[in-house]
Amino acid sequence: MNTDKQILTRLAQEYEEIAMLPVNEERRALWKALNGLRECRPLIMMDQLPWHELDTDGSLCLQCTDPDARIVEDNLRKLLYQAKYFPADRVFAPYLELPKTIKGYHHGVLLQEETLSTDANNDVKSHAYICQLCCEDDLENLKFPKICTDEATDKKRWEKISELVSGVLPVRLAGIRMFHCCIWDDLVEAIGANNFFYFFADEPELLHKAARRMTAICQSLINQLTEKCLFDAYEQTVHCTGAYTDELPQDKKNNVRPADVWTYGLAQMLGSVSPSMFEEYEIAYVKPLLEQFGMVYYGCCEPLHNRIDSIRKIKNVRKISMSPWADIRVGAEQIHGDYVISRKPNPAYLAGSGFDGEVVRNELRETLRAAKENGCTCELILKDVSTVRYHPERLAQWHKIAVEVASEW
C-alpha cells in the first residue's frame, strides 16, 4: 500500500519536471510585459473550475491520509491535471506551498444563511442570507476580527511536508495574498439580497453607516496583517490572473507591506446602481483602502464599461475586469490602453446541453478586436465555471480555441 510519503514524493517529482521547463520563464516574462502595459499577445488563464466533474481517470482522487498531506496532494494533482490538459499561460512555480495557520481572518460578517444545491458534489450553491442588519443597533453584528497565528504548529507542518516530499521541491508557508478590499459583497451577506436594494431607498443613512463600519473593519485587517507580517510577496496570481510584475518586490521575504503587493476590489452588488451612486457608495469608501497597496485589480462579474472614469480616481489600478455583461467595445474605448483589459469570457458556453466552439471563437475575437483597435493589452480569464455538464473535454476545447485566437494577435 502506498504511504503518504510515497504518494507525495512521486507527485512532487512529476510536478518538478513541469516546473523546471523553460516555458515557465517565458510565461513569467509575458505576464511582466502585460502587467507593465507593454505590447504582447493576449494571455490566457483558466481557474475556478468544477473539479468534481473532471476526474475521468482517477488522477484527481486523493490517496493520502494525513490532513496536511491531503492539502498538498490536492494542489499537486490539480496542477498536474491542468498542465496536461489546459495549461494556458499558467506559470508552474518550482516550489510547493502550505497555507499558514491564520485564525480570525474574515471581513466582519458571521454568516447566517440557507443554501440549495443542484449537485451535492459541487461547492457552488445558491445562498439565501438571513438579515442581521435592520437598525443602527444591529451594526454591532458586523464584527471586528482578531487575527491569531500559530507559528509552532506551522513549523511542525512545514517539517512534516518537507519530509513527505523527500526534499524534491522546497516547501514554503504561504501568507495572505490577493487581499480582498471589498465591502459590498460582504454587506449583502449581512443584509440579504432581497433587502439590499430597498435599503438604498428606505435606509440610505444606515447603509452609509454600515459602509463606514465595514471600511473600518477592512482597515483593521490591513493593520493586523501588516503588524503580524502576514502579507506574502510571492504572488503568482491576483483574482485568477497572472500577477508577475517588475514593479513590486515579488521575492521579498520579510517585512512585506501592503505597498509591496497586489490587492483587488469589487462591488458586484452595485452593478445595477447609477454611476453617481457607484461613486457615492463605492469609490468614496474603498479608494483609501485600495491606495495603500502596490497594485490594484478592480472588478469581478459586475459590468464596468461605463464606470471607467470613476475607477480612474483610484491610483495604482492596473487591471480592470470586463465581465460577460460588459460592453467590451465601450470598455476598450474608455480604457484606451491605460489599464490591462481583464476579459472574462462567458462560462455559460461550457455549461449548455452542447458545446459550440464557433460561439466561443467569435466572442474571443470580438474582445481582441476591441482591444487592438484601442491600443489595449488584454488577458482572457475563463473563471466561475460552475459546471461543464460532466464533459471535461470542453475545457480542453475552450483552451485550444483561446490559444488559436490569441495567436492571431
Side-chain angles (χ1 to χ4, degrees):
M1 181 180 292
N2 287 334
T3 66
D4 287 1
K5 183 171 184 176
Q6 290 173 324
I7 294 165
L8 285 192
T9 298
R10 175 179 58 81
L11 292 173
Q13 289 170 338
E14 292 178 21
Y15 178 74
E16 182 193 29
E17 292 181 9
I18 294 168
M20 295 304 175
L21 292 174
V23 70
N24 290 296
E25 285 303 317
E26 296 168 12
R27 291 171 182 161
R28 190 178 285 108
L30 284 170
W31 283 112
K32 288 182 178 182
L34 182 88
N35 293 331
L37 302 177
R38 302 189 292 274
E39 185 175 357
C40 69
R41 68 165 173 81
L43 300 186
I44 305 163
M45 285 284 277
M46 300 170 67
D47 210 337
Q48 296 182 341
L49 305 176
W51 289 103
H52 66 288
E53 296 183 5
L54 306 187
D55 192 12
T56 57
D57 58 3
S59 63
L60 293 172
C61 181
L62 300 185
Q63 299 175 20
C64 290
T65 57
D66 178 85
D68 294 322
R70 288 173 70 87
I71 292 172
V72 177
E73 181 191 9
D74 183 61
N75 187 45
L76 279 171
R77 290 186 181 279
K78 288 174 179 175
L79 288 170
L80 290 169
Y81 188 100
Q82 192 157 1
K84 181 178 180 179
Y85 293 110
F86 39 85
D89 289 304
R90 180 175 293 278
V91 176
F92 296 93
Y95 52 81
L96 305 178
E97 290 192 332
L98 193 64
K100 290 181 179 179
T101 303
I102 303 175
K103 300 177 181 178
Y105 179 56
H106 63 82
H107 285 74
V109 179
L110 304 181
L111 283 181
Q112 296 181 30
E113 62 175 342
E114 298 175 358
T115 62
L116 290 175
S117 177
T118 57
D119 184 339
N121 297 317
N122 196 339
D123 58 4
V124 177
K125 298 179 174 64
S126 176
H127 300 258
Y129 299 111
I130 297 169
C131 185
Q132 304 176 56
L133 186 63
C134 299
C135 62
E136 190 168 339
D137 289 344
D138 289 342
L139 291 171
E140 295 298 321
N141 290 329
L142 305 177
K143 306 295 186 181
F144 278 82
K146 182 178 181 181
I147 291 177
C148 300
T149 60
D150 190 337
E151 294 183 7
T153 296
D154 285 343
K155 184 176 184 294
K156 291 179 181 178
R157 292 168 65 235
W158 176 84
E159 291 171 345
K160 175 172 61 178
I161 296 300
S162 296
E163 168 64 20
L164 287 175
V165 299
S166 302
V168 173
L169 284 170
V171 179
R172 63 177 306 275
L173 288 165
I176 298 296
R177 292 169 294 191
M178 297 190 296
F179 181 78
H180 183 196
C181 269
C182 168
I183 60 175
W184 295 105
D185 280 30
D186 294 301
L187 265 178
V188 74
E189 295 177 353
I191 296 171
N194 290 338
N195 298 326
F196 187 78
F197 289 104
Y198 289 112
F199 271 53
F200 287 103
D202 299 337
E203 298 285 354
E205 187 51 39
L206 178 59
L207 211 51
H208 275 296
K209 289 179 178 179
R212 286 193 286 272
R213 187 173 177 90
M214 290 295 290
T215 302
I217 288 170
C218 197
Q219 185 63 59
S220 173
L221 278 174
I222 294 171
N223 295 344
Q224 291 182 71
L225 293 172
T226 302
E227 292 165 4
K228 295 180 182 295
C229 299
L230 290 174
F231 282 114
D232 194 328
Y234 283 79
E235 294 181 288
Q236 299 178 51
T237 59
V238 55
H239 205 45
C240 304
T241 79
Y244 294 99
T245 173
D246 292 320
E247 300 172 51
L248 297 174
Q250 293 199 293
D251 58 353
K252 189 176 182 181
K253 295 181 180 179
N254 301 310
N255 196 33
V256 179
R257 319 300 289 182
D260 298 324
V261 298
W262 286 86
T263 187
Y264 71 98
L266 62 153
Q268 295 178 107
M269 293 305 297
L270 301 190
S272 300
V273 306
S274 68
S276 62
M277 289 178 69
F278 177 74
E279 291 214 13
E280 177 185 352
Y281 284 91
E282 166 69 355
I283 301 299
Y285 290 108
V286 302
K287 183 176 185 291
L289 298 173
L290 293 170
E291 290 183 348
Q292 297 172 57
F293 291 82
M295 283 187 175
V296 177
Y297 180 108
Y298 192 85
C300 192
C301 292
E302 69 275 35
L304 294 173
H305 58 275
N306 62 347
R307 309 288 171 92
I308 306 302
D309 286 346
S310 297
I311 296 170
R312 285 184 185 277
K313 296 180 179 180
I314 305 169
K315 70 178 183 180
N316 297 342
V317 171
R318 185 55 56 91
K319 301 188 184 192
I320 298 179
S321 174
M322 286 286 113
S323 78
W325 296 274
D327 186 321
I328 188 59
R329 291 207 161 272
V330 172
E333 290 169 2
Q334 294 297 313
I335 288 172
H336 202 64
D338 297 330
Y339 310 99
V340 177
I341 292 177
S342 187
R343 180 59 159 167
K344 312 288 180 53
N346 197 333
Y349 295 148
L350 289 86
S353 57
F355 179 81
D356 189 336
E358 285 309 299
V359 171
V360 170
R361 190 179 302 274
N362 291 337
E363 180 195 35
L364 298 180
R365 281 178 171 164
E366 178 190 18
T367 291
L368 300 196
R369 278 195 297 268
K372 193 162 190 176
E373 289 171 4
N374 290 279
C376 298
T377 52
C378 181
E379 57 189 20
L380 304 171
I381 312 299
L382 182 68
K383 63 187 290 289
D384 297 310
V385 186
S386 59
T387 182
V388 291
R389 294 285 190 96
Y390 287 86
H391 287 281
E393 72 278 1
R394 292 180 181 180
L395 290 167
Q397 291 168 337
W398 188 96
H399 175 268
K400 181 175 182 293
I401 293 168
V403 170
E404 291 172 353
V405 173
S407 70
E408 297 170 1
W409 182 272

